Amino acid sequence: MDKKKRIVIALGGNALGNTLPEQMAAVKITAKAIVDLIEEGCEVVVAHGNGPQVGMINNAMAALSREDANQPNTPLSVCVAMSQAYIGYDLQNALREELINRGITNIPVATMITQIRVDQDDPAFQNPSKPIGHFMTEEQARVAEEKYSYIMKEDSGRGWRRVVASPKPAEIIEIGAIRSLVDSGQLVIACGGGGIPVMRQGNHLKGASAVIDKDFASCLLAEELDADFLIILTAVEKVAINFGKPDETWLDDLSVEEAEKYIGEGHFAPGSMLPKVQAAVKFAGSGEGRTALITLLEKAKDGILGKTGTRIHQ
């Protein structure tokens, strides 16, 4: 590569596994792909999702409160914080080991427990739709509504689940510390699970019952760090229009305007590819020379080299 590129890479659930043993195995594969980018001369910052992990933690803490009347209910924001540390622990150890295995000993790895401010007036709070936690009977759901003020919704005949808002990220609280670490040459893991959602109350930051989309959080992180690339990893090598139809077309290179046109035409599924493309468009349109790439984890290096993936740029 001609010059060192600063990259924010957003890891999805497939890069982390669904259980403790799966995560231990998955992060080793993930670390290899990330260190490949470092060997190409890139400066990498890692963000990640936490869907299975935060659900597991939330269920465990809920079970504890049911078994022991003296244990208060654990706020979702605290569960997100726990997931950041737990995932960061495995991920930073896997990255450190892979770096040392390749003879790279001058790049420290650190996980930053990251809070992200959300706006209490965000319209997402008026229509919570993100399922969290275990399935319940209708009777159990009514008890949860009354006891914990949860918002419960019936989920496609499978039972009742708690739903929370998914507001847009407004501010990364620890961005100064993250920037200092990145500028000093460290490999930083930040904004895990989309960040711990908080609201500002004077000088106090109060946890919010919400889940922030990790792709939008990664976009904000990339903007704040003045990254050259935002890589959003997904389950397919490229983005497609008319996905699953006879005229399905895989996309290599898109302008922001072209991507916005396809979004408007409804080509991308909400809750799946849509937020990834939206985040990619937002980053690519946020400054000169910024490129978003959507691809598979194992294709990230080839994507940066222009060999595959879907690139979105101005």
Side-chain angles (χ1 to χ4, degrees):
M1 307 186 89
D2 295 331
K3 71 183 184 71
K4 199 167 190 177
K5 299 288 187 184
R6 178 170 288 186
I7 295 169
V8 170
I9 186 166
L11 302 176
N14 59 335
L16 299 170
N18 292 303
T19 64
L20 274 72
E22 281 184 15
Q23 180 168 299
M24 288 286 287
V27 293
K28 292 183 180 297
I29 298 168
T30 299
K32 292 181 187 299
I34 292 171
V35 178
D36 282 347
L37 293 173
I38 292 170
E39 283 195 325
E40 282 295 323
C42 299
E43 187 178 66
V44 181
V45 183
V46 180
H48 61 79
N50 70 344
Q53 294 85 358
V54 77
M56 177 180 66
I57 292 167
N58 182 75
N59 289 345
M61 302 310 290
L64 176 62
S65 66
R66 290 194 299 271
E67 292 171 9
D68 185 349
N70 294 318
Q71 287 288 344
N73 191 47
T74 304
L76 182 56
S77 56
V78 175
C79 294
V80 174
M82 290 178 176
S83 75
Q84 285 189 356
Y86 152 54
I87 295 168
Y89 162 61
D90 276 350
L91 195 50
Q92 73 183 30
N93 280 345
L95 286 165
R96 177 181 176 276
E97 182 177 340
E98 186 63 27
L99 286 164
I100 294 172
N101 286 346
R102 301 196 198 186
I104 304 171
T105 58
N106 62 341
I107 300 180
V109 188
T111 298
M112 175 64 69
I113 303 302
T114 314
Q115 302 172 93
I116 291 189
R117 182 180 63 80
V118 296
D119 188 342
Q120 63 183 0
D121 296 325
D122 190 299
F125 285 108
Q126 304 305 314
N127 183 32
S129 59
K130 188 79 172 179
I132 187 81
H134 62 288
F135 287 97
M136 302 182 193
T137 64
E138 185 172 0
E139 183 181 358
Q140 290 170 327
R142 298 302 172 224
V143 171
E145 285 177 331
E146 184 175 341
K147 190 173 182 181
Y148 303 125
S149 299
Y150 285 177
I151 299 171
M152 307 295 297
K153 288 186 179 179
E154 202 275 331
D155 189 338
S156 306
R158 295 183 295 173
W160 292 73
R161 289 182 82 187
R162 180 188 180 189
V163 292
V164 297
S166 185
K168 293 293 191 294
E171 175 189 4
I172 300 171
I173 302 299
E174 287 78 20
I175 190 61
I178 295 167
R179 189 180 289 115
S180 294
L181 290 170
V182 173
D183 288 346
S184 70
Q186 299 205 37
L187 172 48
V188 181
I189 302 159
C191 297
I196 304 163
V198 296
M199 295 179 183
R200 196 182 297 280
Q201 297 181 342
N203 291 331
H204 176 64
L205 295 172
K206 177 178 173 56
S209 292
V211 174
I212 302 169
D213 185 282
K214 71 102 173 41
D215 295 318
F216 288 118
S218 300
C219 171
L220 180 59
L221 179 63
E223 289 177 12
E224 291 286 347
L225 294 176
D226 194 21
D228 300 290
F229 273 89
L230 170 64
I231 304 180
I232 297 177
L233 300 177
T234 187
V236 291
E237 188 169 340
K238 298 179 182 180
V239 175
I241 54 172
N242 301 312
F243 184 72
K245 299 177 181 178
D247 56 345
E248 176 182 273
T249 304
W250 298 97
L251 306 171
D252 297 311
D253 197 85
L254 287 174
S255 68
V256 167
E257 292 74 19
E258 287 171 327
E260 287 175 336
K261 173 178 173 286
Y262 291 139
I263 290 171
E265 291 172 353
H267 282 283
F268 311 120
S272 177
M273 188 57 77
L274 179 60
K276 298 180 190 307
V277 177
Q278 289 174 325
V281 166
K282 186 175 185 302
F283 174 72
S286 67
E288 200 67 38
R290 293 180 174 179
T291 301
L293 171 70
I294 301 175
T295 193
L296 289 163
L297 171 68
E298 57 268 30
K299 298 290 186 177
K301 176 182 171 181
D302 285 343
I304 286 295
L305 296 173
K307 297 178 181 178
T308 192
T310 300
R311 287 183 173 225
I312 300 175
H313 53 81
Q314 284 189 348

